[in-house]
Amino acid sequence: DIQMTQSPSSMSVSLGDRVTITCRASQDIGKFLSWFQQKPERSPKLMIFGATNLEAGVPSRFSGSGSGSDYSLTINSLESEDTGIYFCLQHKEYPFSFGSGTKVEIK
Amino acid sequence: EVNLLESGGGLVQPGGSLRLSCAASGFTFTDFYMTWIRQPPGKAPEWLGVIRNKGNAYTTEYNPSVEGRFTISRDNTQNILYLQLNTLRPEDTAIYYCVRYQFGRLDAWGQGTSVTVSS
């Protein structure tokens, strides 16, 4: 099974800061990587798929990058509505697997 | 509008069973793979399994962590996805989500149904 190592586990940042979250897969996952945002008591929301593709309706300050086994989610100029927990997911092969999550808070 | 509505969760004793349902609307159900994902309190989500679409004969794949205890099925006449949970354990306590999956996108999630396994 593919293991996903996500970091950091939490971060406290200021409004307007640039945020970068990383996920490392235990093997090459060929850009089969998605990012989700989860607000308290809500279902996860797809933000990025295919490592770099922005889901419809997601603000352009979000971007994804990476290849092979290393991937990143970047939020340019953090806004208050961007707080929450972010998860990565590999869907290269079954069983799909999630990262452990990154909690983003406002400082 | 795509809508997924789970039901069937609740409190169950260890060793018990439950069947979760997910009513789908707003899209052609048979065209899509459907998955179940669960999230224990305060933890990351866990992918449980998938049932493929009509073009792929509705075949299934499971996470080895639940294979043999959980079964995914679908009623394509009523647009309902099911998850049968057997031999439940306290560690199965979680919110269970049904999620639409196609072309690399887990793009539509239900609101989830809560399962608590406790004596």
Side-chain angles (χ1 to χ4, degrees):
Chain A
D1 296 0
I2 297 174
Q3 310 302 316
M4 302 300 295
T5 302
Q6 185 173 344
S7 62
S9 58
S10 65
M11 52 197 319
S12 184
V13 297
S14 299
L15 294 174
D17 279 358
R18 184 178 187 178
V19 169
T20 299
I21 299 166
T22 64
C23 264
R24 171 166 287 177
S26 56
Q27 64 188 69
D28 186 337
I29 57 171
K31 295 195 173 185
F32 287 88
L33 190 285
S34 296
W35 292 97
F36 297 86
Q37 176 195 66
Q38 188 173 30
K39 298 282 191 178
E41 309 304 318
R42 301 294 297 273
S43 308
K45 173 188 174 184
L46 178 65
M47 306 295 279
I48 302 279
F49 64 95
T52 60
N53 300 291
L54 206 63
E55 178 70 355
V58 173
S60 59
R61 62 182 178 273
F62 288 87
S63 63
S65 64
S67 62
S69 59
D70 292 315
Y71 297 87
S72 296
L73 171 71
T74 298
I75 311 172
N76 282 308
S77 191
L78 188 83
E79 298 191 8
S80 57
E81 66 185 38
D82 301 333
T83 58
I85 302 177
Y86 291 83
F87 297 99
C88 63
L89 167 79
Q90 72 78 19
H91 51 95
K92 167 68 173 173
E93 63 182 47
Y94 299 124
F96 296 172
S97 47
F98 286 86
S100 55
T102 297
K103 187 173 185 178
V104 176
E105 298 177 310
I106 302 297
K107 193 180 294 183
Chain B
E1 180 189 1
V2 174
N3 194 40
L4 298 168
L5 184 62
E6 301 94 336
S7 60
L11 174 64
V12 61
Q13 292 190 338
S17 297
L18 275 178
R19 188 176 79 160
L20 308 183
S21 301
C22 171
S25 60
F27 63 100
T28 304
F29 186 60
T30 53
D31 284 351
F32 286 82
Y33 290 33
M34 297 297 298
T35 69
W36 284 98
I37 291 170
R38 70 180 178 185
Q39 188 170 25
K43 294 188 177 181
E46 178 185 23
W47 181 87
L48 300 177
V50 63
I51 186 163
R52 296 180 176 91
N53 58 8
K54 181 179 181 180
N56 289 279
Y58 305 124
T59 53
T60 55
E61 303 283 348
Y62 294 94
N63 193 319
S65 65
V66 301
E67 191 163 20
R69 293 194 303 127
F70 292 5
T71 302
I72 300 173
S73 60
R74 57 194 296 167
D75 181 336
N76 297 299
T77 62
Q78 299 204 56
N79 293 350
I80 300 175
L81 177 72
Y82 296 106
L83 180 65
Q84 178 68 41
L85 312 171
N86 294 332
T87 321
L88 284 162
R89 307 165 180 166
E91 55 265 35
D92 295 319
T93 294
I95 303 293
Y96 285 72
Y97 297 101
C98 75
V99 187
R100 189 177 77 166
Y101 176 66
Q102 191 76 319
F103 304 125
R105 296 167 61 236
L106 285 164
D107 67 338
W109 294 61
Q111 88 291 343
T113 187
S114 178
V115 172
T116 301
V117 184
S118 175
S119 55

